[in-house]
Each structure stands twice: as structure tokens, then as C-alpha cells.
Amino acid sequence: MGRATPPPRPARPERPLLRPPKEMPKRRAFGSMAGRIALLHALAHIELNAIDLGWDLVARFSGEELPRAFFDDWVGVAAEEARHFELLTDRLADFGVAYGDLPAHDGLWEAAAATADDLLARLAVVPLVLEARGLDVTPEMAARLERIGDVQTAAILQRIYRDEIGHVAIGLRWFEHLCRTRGLDPEAVFHERVRRCFKGDLKRPFNHEARTAAGFPAHYYEPLAEHEPC
Ligand SMILES: [Fe+2]
Ligand SMILES: [Fe+2]
């Protein structure tokens, strides 16, 4: 491993145009072709950011005393994110659409910027909040696609879902490893970093089954969740 200082933002293609999240057009009904295209495009955009986030972890924290296995794991994650991007953009091509044809929002890199100088914060927010959130919402999206007869797109989402369980597991493993080597209590550090670096509460409902499969126990994330309505 060498050392590198990556740029604050990764290079981006000229399109899609990046807009503030508030200015994004509302997602259309799922059943319509336009709705499905908007969904695929939004997911492809997330995966492109995920590729960059994987490589950013490798490059930005190359100066820390970390075992080789840490970097190998994140290179592996970035490769899977690239595969996800490809699966989604191939499916978009079936509908005659390319990545970049629709606008996309620029909220995703904010999490990276907010945690650029703190590896524990980066691991807490990116794999353990954002990717774990993906586990909560993906099964329902896949089920809805199956119900409208788009089994091909549903299968892509299921493949992504299985891989993402692994990404959360890798995130947790290294988060706990770092806490242990620094003599810190992982749960307390997780709560503190998420409260400081992530805007808002974690959203219910949680997919406990998938989170458990990733080895991610509820006592990490339940205390950070929005209150249940009475
Ligand atoms: Fe992914
Ligand atoms: Fe991922």
C-alpha cells in the first residue's frame, strides 16, 4: 500500500445533471414504464457513488495503520458495486435509456464529505447506516417489481441485496476491529458518530433478518431510530 490524498470529490461524467435532492422530480408510480426507468436510474446513480465510496475508503485512509485485509475487502466491495452499476445500466438499456439521461441528486457524496477525516465516522455512516438502509427497502421494491411482472429487474435487485448484506458485514467487522484496537466501546462510538455525522433519525421499519444475517445487532441501531408512533 502506498499513500494517497484523493480529491474531495471523484470525477463525474458530464451527465447526469446533479440537482439538490429537493429539486428532483417526484418518483412516478412504480407500475408505469417511466416509474421503473426512474427507479433504475436512481439505483444506478447510488451504485456509481458506491463504487467511489469503496475506492475513497481505500485511498483516503491509506495512511492509517490498517492491515492489508482492510484494503482487500474494500477493493472487493468496489468491484461488486461496479457489477451492480453494470446490471442496472444494462437493464436501463433494455428500455432504451442510458445512465445520465435523467437528472440525479447530489445528496450522496455529502456523507463522504462529512466523514472524510474520520474513518470510524465513515464506517458508521456509509456501510452501517446507508447500506444497511438499502437492506431495509430493497425486498419490498423487488416484491413490487415481481407483482407487476418484471421478474428480470426484481432478480437484479435480489442479487444486489445479497451482496449488500456482505458489505454491511464487512463494514461492521472493520468498525469493531478499529474500536477494539483503540480500546473503544463500539456501540457507544457508533451512537456518537451517527448522531454527530448523520442528519436525522434512522428510519423504521428495519429489516432485522437481513441486518442479523450481516451480524449487525439491533442494540446498535435501535437507540438511534425515530420513535414509534403511539
Ligand atoms: Fe451496491
Ligand atoms: Fe454496497
Side-chain angles (χ1 to χ4, degrees):
M1 284 299 298
R3 290 204 181 179
T5 309
R9 291 176 68 89
R12 280 278 183 256
E14 263 170 45
R15 295 184 334 142
L17 296 176
L18 297 178
R19 294 201 200 150
K22 269 182 280 175
E23 287 176 26
M24 289 295 293
K26 281 235 171 351
R27 287 230 191 127
R28 296 207 228 162
F30 226 64
S32 72
M33 183 59 88
R36 243 182 306 163
I37 288 169
L39 172 74
L40 280 163
H41 196 277
L43 293 177
H45 184 65
I46 289 171
E47 297 293 351
L48 183 66
N49 276 270
I51 298 168
D52 289 328
L53 284 165
W55 286 108
D56 194 77
L57 255 176
V58 169
R60 193 166 304 281
F61 301 101
S62 56
E64 308 221 3
E65 294 297 312
L66 290 159
R68 168 69 185 255
F70 173 90
F71 300 102
D72 288 345
D73 271 353
W74 294 108
V75 169
V77 167
E80 287 188 347
E81 307 296 18
R83 185 72 191 121
H84 299 166
F85 178 76
E86 225 168 38
L87 287 165
L88 293 163
T89 49
D90 283 354
R91 187 64 180 139
L92 273 175
D94 292 342
F95 301 134
V97 176
Y99 175 68
D101 286 354
L102 273 62
H105 75 72
D106 196 27
L108 291 165
W109 203 255
E110 276 173 23
T115 57
D117 56 0
D118 182 348
L119 178 54
L120 284 171
R122 172 65 63 86
L123 293 172
V125 170
V126 174
L128 299 178
V129 170
L130 299 177
E131 294 196 284
R133 175 75 188 146
L135 300 182
D136 300 335
V137 298
T138 306
E140 176 58 23
M141 286 194 287
R144 286 169 71 183
L145 287 161
E146 266 179 359
R147 281 201 292 276
I148 60 166
D150 189 349
V151 286
Q152 230 178 311
T153 307
I156 294 170
L157 264 58
Q158 278 147 3
R159 152 80 189 269
I160 291 174
Y161 175 70
R162 284 193 299 275
D163 290 346
E164 295 299 335
I165 291 175
H167 300 178
V168 174
I170 289 170
L172 184 68
R173 189 159 75 235
W174 287 110
F175 183 81
E176 290 186 333
H177 170 91
L178 270 153
C179 287
R180 270 198 309 275
T181 56
R182 295 179 188 181
L184 303 169
D185 170 29
E187 262 177 64
V189 174
F190 182 72
H191 296 157
E192 188 275 325
R193 293 301 201 281
V194 174
R195 286 196 177 107
R196 181 150 54 89
C197 303
F198 182 76
K199 282 181 253 162
D201 295 328
L202 305 190
K203 283 202 183 94
R204 296 179 198 277
F206 295 117
N207 181 346
H208 292 293
E209 199 188 316
R211 286 166 176 258
T212 302
F216 194 26
H219 43 83
Y220 268 94
Y221 52 84
E222 279 285 359
L224 298 168
E226 58 193 353
H227 293 295
E228 298 238 86
C230 301

